[in-house]
Amino acid sequence: MDRLNKLSIAALVWIGTFLLLFYFTQTFISSFYFALIAIIPFVVFLNLKDKLAFLLFISFILISSFGLLIYAFQQAWETPVQLAAVGIHAIIVAHIGTAYVLTKWIKALAIENRQLQKRVNELAEYIANTRVLSFREFNKQKELITNAMVRRKETGYLLTLRMNKWARRVKKSGIDLLAESVYTSVREHFDVVGKQDKDTILILLQNTGEDGLHIVKERINNRLEDVFTPEIIKKIEWDKEIIGYEGQEVVKEGDAQ
């Protein structure tokens, strides 16, 4: 039985126990408070780690069982009352148990979906909705271009733009905009722009000297000034690396001006 079928069965059990509990408790608990109580296990289990959620569930079973047993002896319940209490308690345990199972599987599916999306992004040639290469595709292009430059005895530059100093809210919305702005500032079908991760943009400039590098950086800064504030632009860190025929040399550029 696959996970989807198990989820369906667990959902049906949860709905069934929900309806049974509502039937038995509607005379002394309002519908609003009953719905609130029924939702609480979901909220709690979703926000706890699996081990802690399981420990909490087991603790509830043990504490509620012993508490009900002690209360039954104190009140000297008759057999029919005891059986009814045991039945309702069993329904409550089944209800909370299915809530635990559902939240556990939902969290597992969410993790799998994130991992799958990450893998899809790694295999994709372009970052979604941009003309910027993925890190995997950028490395493939970089290897081909670098080997070609070595054969032609040409040199170029690998620029790295890091947004480590950006605020999280700015980084989340601005990284793809930055990458697209950089792409429109370099030579189309000649230079290559890629996204290494959520903080880093890579630019490969082939057959380019110091003067060409300066021109490209000026174009990039001019483009960035159209979409970002000066404070945000100053927080971009630049590195440059000479690639191609003359070998590799890493030079720290500091912050963008």
Side-chain angles (χ1 to χ4, degrees), residues 65-82:
S65 298
F66 282 112
L68 182 63
L69 181 63
I70 293 172
Y71 186 75
F73 276 115
Q74 288 178 343
Q75 298 298 318
W77 283 353
E78 296 180 356
T79 301
V81 178
Q82 293 180 18

Side-chain angles (χ1 to χ4, degrees), residues 154-168:
E154 298 172 350
T155 58
Y157 285 92
L158 175 64
L159 300 181
T160 304
L161 278 64
R162 294 188 176 88
M163 279 58 70
N164 297 324
K165 296 182 180 179
W166 281 12
R168 181 178 298 178

Side-chain angles (χ1 to χ4, degrees), residues 74-252:
Q74 288 178 343
Q75 298 298 318
W77 283 353
E78 296 180 356
T79 301
V81 178
Q82 293 180 18
L83 293 175
V86 169
I88 293 175
H89 182 262
I91 295 173
I92 294 174
V93 170
H95 180 74
I96 296 178
T98 52
Y100 165 75
V101 171
L102 285 170
T103 54
K104 181 179 179 180
W105 285 343
I106 289 171
K107 287 190 289 186
L109 285 172
I111 293 172
E112 289 179 5
N113 285 337
R114 285 196 297 268
Q115 292 174 342
L116 180 60
Q117 184 62 51
K118 182 179 179 181
R119 181 59 178 164
V120 169
N121 291 337
E122 290 174 351
L123 295 176
E125 293 186 0
Y126 294 92
I127 303 301
N129 301 320
T130 72
R131 292 168 290 180
V132 178
L133 296 176
S134 65
F135 186 51
R136 176 176 174 271
E137 186 64 22
F138 179 87
N139 281 334
K140 289 168 59 178
Q141 296 285 342
K142 175 189 171 185
E143 183 178 358
L144 293 173
I145 293 172
T146 302
N147 291 337
M149 285 195 297
V150 171
R151 289 195 302 269
R152 296 192 300 263
K153 298 184 178 180
E154 298 172 350
T155 58
Y157 285 92
L158 175 64
L159 300 181
T160 304
L161 278 64
R162 294 188 176 88
M163 279 58 70
N164 297 324
K165 296 182 180 179
W166 281 12
R168 181 178 298 178
R169 59 179 180 81
V170 176
K171 189 183 302 181
K172 184 177 181 180
S173 60
I175 183 68
D176 290 338
L177 180 59
L178 171 65
E180 186 68 14
S181 299
V182 169
Y183 178 85
T184 58
S185 303
V186 300
R187 297 166 294 183
E188 190 175 2
H189 307 308
F190 196 72
D191 299 323
V192 181
V193 179
K195 181 179 177 182
Q196 178 173 325
D197 52 41
K198 61 184 179 65
D199 300 320
T200 310
I201 299 298
L202 303 171
I203 311 166
L204 191 152
L205 306 174
Q206 58 175 312
N207 193 20
T208 302
E210 281 286 348
D211 293 338
L213 174 63
H214 179 74
I215 293 172
V216 171
K217 291 180 67 176
E218 285 295 322
R219 285 206 303 264
I220 292 174
N221 278 321
N222 291 336
R223 178 73 65 174
L224 295 181
E225 289 173 358
D226 294 335
V227 292
F228 296 108
T229 64
E231 292 76 14
I232 292 177
I233 295 175
K234 288 179 180 179
K235 292 180 179 180
I236 301 175
E237 297 177 334
W238 292 67
D239 289 341
K240 73 177 181 182
E241 176 183 342
I242 299 175
I243 60 174
Y245 183 69
E246 292 187 6
Q248 296 186 351
E249 177 184 354
V250 180
V251 182
K252 184 75 173 179

